[in-house]
Every structure is written in structure tokens, then in C-alpha cells.
Amino acid sequence: MIGVLHDRQLPASIRQLLVYVAPAALAAIIVTDILWVDGDIAISNNAQIPAFIIAAVVAYLSRNIMATITAGMIALWIIEHLF
């Protein structure tokens, strides 16, 4: 598709829609990785879900990738080892 359209301008409506492609793909990868455990969807007894929620809150509040990764990893470790 890129080769065919390399010399043409995309309509503004298409360019606006393409802004959402990367976040949608990333969200699909993350959600699949969090919910898919041992070949099945696991919602109960899945420590990754609350750790993800904590990391998402930290990401929203801080807008800092290192704080998000650190909070998510610490939350996952605490949830897995203490509960």
C-alpha cells in the first residue's frame, strides 16, 4: 500500500484515522499479553491485571515511562509474592 500511495496525498480524513493505528495495535498486544495465560484467557487469579491497572494510573498521572515501568514491575512483584 505504501508503494502504491508514495506519490499521492492521503485525504485529511484518512490521515486523521491513521493517528489511531499505532495505539490500537499496541493496546491489542498489551491486552492479549495480560489476559492470555497458559493458552487460555485468565481473569481470576491473574496478578498481571491489577499490576496493569496500577501502571496505567501511574502512566496517566505522571506521563513518565520509567515511573510507569517501575510501578508496574513493583506492583506485579508484590502481588505475585505477597498475595
Side-chain angles (χ1 to χ4, degrees):
M1 180 174 165
I2 294 172
V4 173
L5 299 175
H6 76 282
D7 60 345
R8 297 184 183 161
Q9 276 285 18
L10 291 174
S13 59
I14 300 295
R15 284 191 308 235
Q16 289 173 342
L17 289 175
L18 288 176
V19 171
Y20 299 105
V21 170
L26 185 59
I29 292 168
I30 290 171
V31 169
T32 302
D33 190 45
I34 290 171
L35 294 180
W36 199 263
V37 177
D38 296 329
D40 197 15
I41 294 177
I43 295 176
S44 62
N45 296 327
N46 186 350
Q48 292 179 346
I49 294 172
F52 169 73
I53 293 169
I54 291 168
V57 169
V58 170
Y60 179 75
L61 295 175
S62 72
R63 305 284 184 190
N64 183 329
I65 190 71
M66 290 308 295
T68 302
I69 292 170
T70 303
M73 291 177 69
I74 290 171
L76 183 61
W77 183 83
I78 289 171
I79 293 166
E80 284 183 343
H81 289 90
L82 297 181
F83 293 106

